[in-house]
């Protein structure tokens, strides 16, 4: 145990990390939630869920990327309700040159904790517009809001959804379900979204998805 602690401490020091540990009881089982902030080329904040020194889950709280003309952010939060652990994620992007305005979207993941302390994913709802083939805009994205008519268009949309579901670990949703998801995620992350995008309109104008 001392050796493991030493290795973790060394890793944190080498990568300029700060971490904080909280103990949470879910369904009568004690877990550790470690919040870590990494400051290398860009800042990344995330939480990890542990039980008996075993890592069970990881969830991003904050990550940003970009250059002098663009920004991409991922924001996250979580809450514990009874025997469930709920994770929320939000993506937004902006670019002065209108070249990089993805990813943009929302996700809600619900994990159930049993009386034995096992954690399983019960549901993961996702709506996201994202690059899935390097930096090329997938042609299937144009049918997210415009119903595909031909078999080719339907296959294109199906291919896009398959790729983003795999990349972001969620079940893609449309219509009213998407609206409900968006409202819930925006409410859960309202303060963080405002803080991180409050200047975007002034800087990027309409060249943003937020």
């Amino acid at each position: 145990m001392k050796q493991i602690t030493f290795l973790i401490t060394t890793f944190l020091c080498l990568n300029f990390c700060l971490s904080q540990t909280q103990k949470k009881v879910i369904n009568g089982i004690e877990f550790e939630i470690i919040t870590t902030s990494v400051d290398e080329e860009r800042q990344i904040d995330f939480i990890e869920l542990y039980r008996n020194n075993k890592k069970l889950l990881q969830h991003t709280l904050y990550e940003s990327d970009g250059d002098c003309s663009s920004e991409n952010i991922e924001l996250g939060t979580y809450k514990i309700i009874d025997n469930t652990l709920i994770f929320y994620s939000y993506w937004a992007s902006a670019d002065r040159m209108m070249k990089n305005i993805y990813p943009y979207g929302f996700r809600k993941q619900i994990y159930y904790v049993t009386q034995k302390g096992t954690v399983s994913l019960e549901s993961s709802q996702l709506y996201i517009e994202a690059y899935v083939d390097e930096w090329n805009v997938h042609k299937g994205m144009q049918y997210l809001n415009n119903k595909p008519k031909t078999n080719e268009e339907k296959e294109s949309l199906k291919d896009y959804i398959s790729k983003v579901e795999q990349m972001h670990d969620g079940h893609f949703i449309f219509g009213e379900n998407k609206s409900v998801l968006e409202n819930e995620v925006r409410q859960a992350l309202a303060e963080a979204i405002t803080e991180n995008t409050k200047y975007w309109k002034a800087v990027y104008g309409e060249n943003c998805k937020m």
Side-chain angles (χ1 to χ4, degrees):
M1 183 61 187
K2 290 183 178 180
Q3 183 179 8
I4 294 175
T5 303
F6 173 75
L7 290 174
I8 293 175
T9 302
T10 301
F11 176 81
L12 294 178
C13 292
L14 289 175
N15 290 275
F16 307 101
C17 298
L18 296 174
S19 64
Q20 180 181 6
T21 301
Q22 293 180 308
K23 295 186 183 296
K24 297 287 187 179
V25 175
I26 310 174
N27 202 6
I29 306 295
E30 185 176 87
F31 295 88
E32 287 187 340
I33 295 181
I34 301 178
T35 304
T36 302
S37 179
V38 182
D39 189 3
E40 293 179 290
E41 295 182 357
R42 61 182 185 268
Q43 183 179 346
I44 304 173
D45 300 336
F46 58 91
I47 61 169
E48 294 175 321
L49 182 71
Y50 283 82
R51 179 170 179 263
N52 297 331
N53 298 316
K54 181 180 178 181
K55 177 180 170 181
L56 303 175
L57 297 172
Q58 180 172 313
H59 180 64
T60 299
L61 299 177
Y62 174 86
E63 183 172 0
S64 65
D65 192 12
D67 52 34
C68 60
S69 66
S70 66
E71 290 185 64
N72 305 309
I73 61 169
E74 178 181 352
L75 305 175
T77 190
Y78 74 96
K79 64 182 179 181
I80 298 169
I81 300 179
D82 298 327
N83 303 331
T84 60
L85 182 60
I86 302 174
F87 290 146
Y88 295 103
S89 299
Y90 167 87
W91 292 269
S93 303
D95 192 325
R96 289 190 183 94
M97 307 302 292
M98 201 60 180
K99 294 180 179 179
N100 180 28
I101 55 171
Y102 304 109
Y104 162 76
F106 320 90
R107 185 181 62 192
K108 176 186 177 183
Q109 296 175 309
I110 301 177
Y111 288 86
Y112 179 74
V113 180
T114 70
Q115 292 181 339
K116 294 182 178 180
T118 59
V119 181
S120 61
L121 181 62
E122 292 293 292
S123 69
S124 181
Q125 293 186 323
L126 171 73
Y127 176 87
I128 191 167
E129 300 168 14
Y131 297 110
V132 294
D133 299 318
E134 296 182 345
W135 292 102
N136 299 314
V137 176
H138 193 291
K139 60 183 181 180
M141 265 205 288
Q142 65 186 297
Y143 306 116
L144 293 177
N145 299 305
N146 299 297
K147 189 175 180 179
K149 297 177 181 178
T150 67
N151 288 335
E152 182 181 357
E153 291 173 347
K154 293 176 182 178
E155 285 301 315
S156 180
L157 176 60
K158 182 179 178 181
D159 182 67
Y160 172 77
I161 290 175
S162 176
K163 287 178 177 177
V164 292
E165 285 184 336
Q166 184 174 4
M167 288 176 64
H168 297 285
D169 192 21
H171 172 67
F172 205 93
I173 58 176
F174 293 91
E176 182 62 27
N177 290 330
K178 173 207 165 185
S179 297
V180 172
L181 172 65
E182 178 178 351
N183 290 337
E184 186 172 353
V185 172
R186 286 190 182 278
Q187 183 176 355
L189 285 160
E191 185 175 341
I193 292 172
T194 299
E195 178 64 25
N196 284 277
T197 64
K198 60 186 177 183
Y199 59 90
W200 279 21
K201 286 294 184 181
V203 174
Y204 302 106
E206 296 302 316
N207 299 337
C208 54
K209 300 278 287 187
M210 53 184 283

